[in-house]
């Protein structure tokens, strides 16, 4: 068996990083000795916190995989979030919890469930295959689940996600509420980033019907900390709109403590935000009460209204 490169989406979040590590471990336990955990971008602060806590090294950064390389994809099934030459790679497996936006001309193992996190599916895969979950793997898995579900506050969170964390916390021997909040807070520290970096941290390019859009989400423990940069952020957003020919740039500044998002919307279709949420943008911004999930509360609603 040759090498198998395992990775998640571009701009990897904690789920993409941890699920690639957890999947590589599972593959190895099942006999695929050349499974390699990889990433296609920088490790964010939240993931850094987890890796340090667990004493695990970051996955290998890959930039260009040779045509024909065998890969396993976790935490995305969207061509736009994968390497440019994805059509030249051989996808062996996909484990994901998003909508499907990818097409292959060959059969593959495909496991998708509408749960809150890929690592929740990974947890089930370990159980189904009778592979032991050790303390380190448990820590990585529960971190991913807490990250994706914002400590169970996101509407994407299911009973299965919550139960997995409760079980994994026993193995990892940690207080998941305290650990989870510390981890989420570590992820909100943007003090060392440039405006460009903030605008690229967790940016997803997508089409809301015909509306070419970027939706970027920045988590914070205190919205005014981010809003004080509004002028600079808008300048950066305008540049990206021009460069990429976007119709809309949505920046969600999500308060992980109170579960709201302040939105900044620019571009010729900015009124789509007003239409979708019944709000009025003042100075390009509005508060979206109770909105924390891009996947469940933003993309589908804005697509419907586009
Ligand atoms: Mn995920």
């Amino acid at each position: 068996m040759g090498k198998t490169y395992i990775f998640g989406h571009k701009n990897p979040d904690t789920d993409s990083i941890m699920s690639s590590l957890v999947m590589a471990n599972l593959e190895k336990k099942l006999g695929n000795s050349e499974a390699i955990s990889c990433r296609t971008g920088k490790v964010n602060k939240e993931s850094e916190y987890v890796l340090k806590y667990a004493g695990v090294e970051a996955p290998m950064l890959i930039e260009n995989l040779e045509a024909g390389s065998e890969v396993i994809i976790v935490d995305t099934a969207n061509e736009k979030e994968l390497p440019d030459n994805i059509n030249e790679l051989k996808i062996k497996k996909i484990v994901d919890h998003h909508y499907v936006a990818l097409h292959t001309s060959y059969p593959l193992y495909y496991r998708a469930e509408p749960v809150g996190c890929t690592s929740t599916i990974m947890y089930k895969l370990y159980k189904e295959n009778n592979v032991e979950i050790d303390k380190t793997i448990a820590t990585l898995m529960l971190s991913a689940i807490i990250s994706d579900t914002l400590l169970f506050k996101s509407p994407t969170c299911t009973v299965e996600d919550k139960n997995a964390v409760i079980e994994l916390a026993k193995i990892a021997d940690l207080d998941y509420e305290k650990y989870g909040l510390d981890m989420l807070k570590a992820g909100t520290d943007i003090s060392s980033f440039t405006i460009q970096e903030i605008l690229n941290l967790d940016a997803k390019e997508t089409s809301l019907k015909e509306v070419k859009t970027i939706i970027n989400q920045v988590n914070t423990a205190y919205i005014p900390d981010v809003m004080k940069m509004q002028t600079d952020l808008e300048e950066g957003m305008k540049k990206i709109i021009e460069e990429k020919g976007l119709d809309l740039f949505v920046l969600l500044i999500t308060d992980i403590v109170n579960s709201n998002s302040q939105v900044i919307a620019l571009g010729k279709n900015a009124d789509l935000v007003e239409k979708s949420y019944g709000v009025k943008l003042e100075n390009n911004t509005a508060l979206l009460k109770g909105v924390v999930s891009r996947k469940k509360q933003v993309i589908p609603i804005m697509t419907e209204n586009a």
Side-chain angles (χ1 to χ4, degrees):
M1 219 182 299
K3 289 192 169 90
T4 309
Y5 302 93
I6 304 172
F7 51 87
H9 53 77
K10 286 181 186 168
N11 292 325
D13 61 1
T14 297
D15 187 21
S16 275
I17 296 289
M18 305 312 152
S19 289
S20 91
L21 289 162
V22 163
M23 186 69 183
N25 181 66
L26 178 66
E27 284 287 309
K28 279 188 190 147
K29 291 274 157 78
L30 296 176
N32 182 1
S33 62
E34 292 192 79
I36 309 167
S37 169
C38 302
R39 60 189 163 96
T40 56
K42 211 172 157 211
V43 176
N44 71 25
K45 298 244 174 173
E46 186 184 88
S47 304
E48 250 172 41
Y49 180 91
V50 178
L51 294 171
K52 196 171 167 206
Y53 182 94
V56 173
E57 264 190 55
M60 181 177 92
L61 179 66
I62 45 167
E63 265 148 4
N64 291 304
L65 284 179
E66 245 175 80
S69 299
E70 298 202 327
V71 302
I72 293 176
I73 292 164
V74 292
D75 196 32
T76 180
N78 186 347
E79 240 179 75
K80 287 192 179 124
E81 298 184 339
L82 290 164
D84 293 338
N85 70 339
I86 188 65
N87 290 318
E88 296 167 9
L89 306 178
K90 170 91 173 101
I91 304 173
K92 287 170 70 181
K93 299 181 183 182
I94 295 177
V95 180
D96 184 38
H97 68 131
H98 294 87
Y99 63 88
V100 188
L102 173 144
H103 160 99
T104 66
S105 53
Y106 50 85
L108 70 156
Y109 175 97
Y110 193 92
R111 174 76 173 256
E113 293 188 35
V115 290
C117 181
T118 306
S119 273
T120 302
I121 309 170
M122 295 304 313
Y123 173 69
K124 293 167 83 169
L125 286 174
Y126 272 68
K127 296 211 140 178
E128 289 164 18
N129 288 287
N130 285 315
V131 172
E132 191 210 345
I133 298 171
D134 65 23
K135 201 170 165 173
T136 303
I137 294 294
T139 304
L140 303 182
M141 283 180 177
L142 74 83
S143 300
I145 302 169
I146 289 169
S147 168
D148 266 12
T149 65
L150 293 175
L151 245 178
F152 313 143
K153 281 189 195 155
S154 169
T156 57
C157 186
T158 67
V159 174
E160 285 190 276
D161 300 299
K162 200 168 176 181
N163 287 341
V165 168
I166 290 166
E167 289 308 311
L168 290 164
K170 288 179 198 158
I171 303 171
D173 191 25
L174 55 75
D175 173 350
Y176 66 81
E177 278 180 342
K178 187 190 176 301
Y179 169 83
L181 202 57
D182 287 346
M183 179 199 86
L184 290 171
K185 280 191 176 156
T188 67
D189 176 16
I190 52 170
S191 55
S192 65
F193 292 123
T194 65
I195 294 291
Q196 263 74 14
E197 284 169 330
I198 293 170
L199 291 175
N200 199 34
L201 270 181
D202 185 14
K204 274 197 203 294
E205 248 182 285
T206 179
S207 287
L208 308 168
K209 291 195 187 126
E210 302 297 305
V211 183
K212 209 178 157 203
T213 307
I214 282 186
I215 305 176
N216 183 25
Q217 189 165 29
V218 175
N219 288 341
T220 182
Y222 187 58
I223 287 172
D225 275 349
V226 182
M227 285 306 284
K228 68 185 180 210
M229 295 183 274
Q230 185 179 356
T231 312
D232 293 337
L233 287 167
E234 287 188 7
E235 218 170 281
M237 288 163 73
K238 279 181 199 152
K239 255 188 226 155
I240 297 169
I241 288 172
E242 221 167 275
E243 278 165 21
K244 302 206 174 212
L246 300 175
D247 302 312
L248 175 63
F249 194 130
V250 175
L251 174 61
L252 293 167
I253 300 155
T254 301
D255 179 337
I256 56 160
V257 182
N258 299 301
S259 305
N260 294 312
S261 290
Q262 186 77 34
V263 65
I264 301 177
L266 292 180
K268 69 173 176 2
N269 288 84
D271 63 329
L272 182 53
V273 171
E274 298 187 322
K275 239 190 348 190
S276 301
Y277 298 96
V279 294
K280 186 100 200 91
L281 289 171
E282 273 174 49
N283 189 21
N284 304 319
T285 183
L287 182 69
L288 307 182
K289 283 199 183 130
V291 172
V292 293
S293 168
R294 175 170 49 194
K295 185 161 81 175
K296 263 207 160 149
Q297 295 171 296
V298 180
I299 292 176
I301 290 154
M302 288 187 52
T303 302
E304 208 180 287
N305 286 285

